[in-house]
Amino acid sequence: MKRSTLVLLPFLMILGSAVQAQDDVAACSLIRIDQYYGLKEWDCRVPNTPVRINNIYTDKEGQMRVESISSQQNAMCDDQAVCSNSGSFAGNAPAGSYHYTFGWYLGTDTQGNPVSYKSGVGPGFGGKHFAAAEKSKNAGLTKTLPDVVCMPTASFNCSIDDTEIEDEDLPKYLPTVEEHDVKNAGGSCQSIPLCFDKHMILLGLNKKYFK
């Protein structure tokens, strides 16, 4: 099937072509940890990015054209923190599987946590690493919480400070938050049942699972 393209005309307005983000860095949310191999899967996509975006490219005849592509890119990072997307260099981040946004690349913050940077900025382009010490502006939602790891299967399978906790007991240790409030502030609740702000600071439990 041939790829559908359009010749780029002067002053063409491309709806949804640009990833809209207030910052040049996006936090990575831990989706799951493989229970057999311990491989971590991360979501580093820019929140609220359309599923498909328009990409401008130049064809063999030198014409600028537009193609509709998936906004999600996938990469694997090895033990040397080298990331590859189907053989193409995708950045440097801890070993694991990653999903990130087209036009961005994988990296780390000043504490070594995985993040994605907008192409052209950040350590991959001679810039500085994102300062992990910066706190979320959502002061009303954030507070010091224990270390939590969840590996959802038939249950949430969460451990707090290396102690396994029953699903129904999780609200005894963590606050519950509204998913729409978290998303509106640029955070994510994709690491079921946990919600994080845009700087990957744990906010608490997704309230919809604990009614």
Side-chain angles (χ1 to χ4, degrees):
M1 181 179 294
K2 293 184 177 180
R3 180 170 54 192
S4 175
T5 59
L6 296 173
V7 176
L8 183 66
L9 299 176
F11 309 113
L12 176 64
M13 181 178 292
I14 307 171
L15 298 178
S17 63
V19 175
Q20 298 299 316
Q22 293 182 348
D23 302 316
D24 294 330
V25 60
C28 296
S29 300
L30 182 62
I31 299 175
R32 69 187 186 93
I33 302 176
D34 188 281
Q35 60 181 324
Y36 298 107
Y37 301 103
L39 184 71
K40 294 182 178 181
E41 182 178 358
W42 298 89
D43 183 356
C44 307
R45 293 174 295 177
V46 178
N48 304 317
T49 301
V51 175
R52 299 195 68 80
I53 59 176
N54 291 332
N55 177 48
I56 302 173
Y57 72 100
T58 303
D59 65 16
K60 295 179 180 179
E61 286 73 38
Q63 283 277 12
M64 294 188 70
R65 297 182 180 274
V66 180
E67 61 179 345
S68 176
I69 63 172
S70 171
S71 64
Q72 177 176 306
Q73 302 291 294
N74 304 306
M76 290 292 295
C77 301
D78 61 22
D79 292 335
Q80 283 71 50
V82 177
C83 307
S84 175
N85 179 347
S86 299
S88 298
F89 181 68
N92 298 98
S97 170
Y98 291 83
H99 309 293
Y100 63 104
T101 299
F102 179 82
W104 292 58
Y105 68 96
L106 300 171
T108 59
D109 62 21
T110 52
Q111 291 186 359
N113 301 310
V115 296
S116 64
Y117 291 94
K118 191 173 183 179
S119 183
V121 302
F125 291 83
K128 296 181 179 180
H129 286 79
F130 171 69
E134 292 183 10
K135 299 298 182 182
S136 169
K137 297 178 181 178
N138 309 315
L141 291 176
T142 58
K143 63 179 182 178
T144 302
L145 297 176
D147 291 328
V148 185
V149 175
C150 297
M151 296 184 287
T153 51
S155 64
F156 294 134
N157 195 19
C158 296
S159 296
I160 295 180
D161 294 333
D162 296 324
T163 301
E164 292 186 11
I165 305 298
E166 296 293 333
D167 290 356
E168 61 270 19
D169 290 333
L170 287 171
K172 296 178 181 179
Y173 300 86
L174 300 168
T176 57
V177 295
E178 295 285 355
E179 183 172 359
H180 63 85
D181 291 338
V182 174
K183 288 184 175 181
N184 288 341
S188 170
C189 291
Q190 292 187 349
S191 300
I192 298 173
L194 307 175
C195 293
F196 296 82
D197 72 5
K198 66 178 181 179
H199 298 306
M200 198 49 193
I201 296 175
L202 178 63
L203 299 176
L205 301 166
N206 191 331
K207 189 174 183 179
K208 73 180 182 180
Y209 298 116
F210 300 91
K211 296 181 179 179

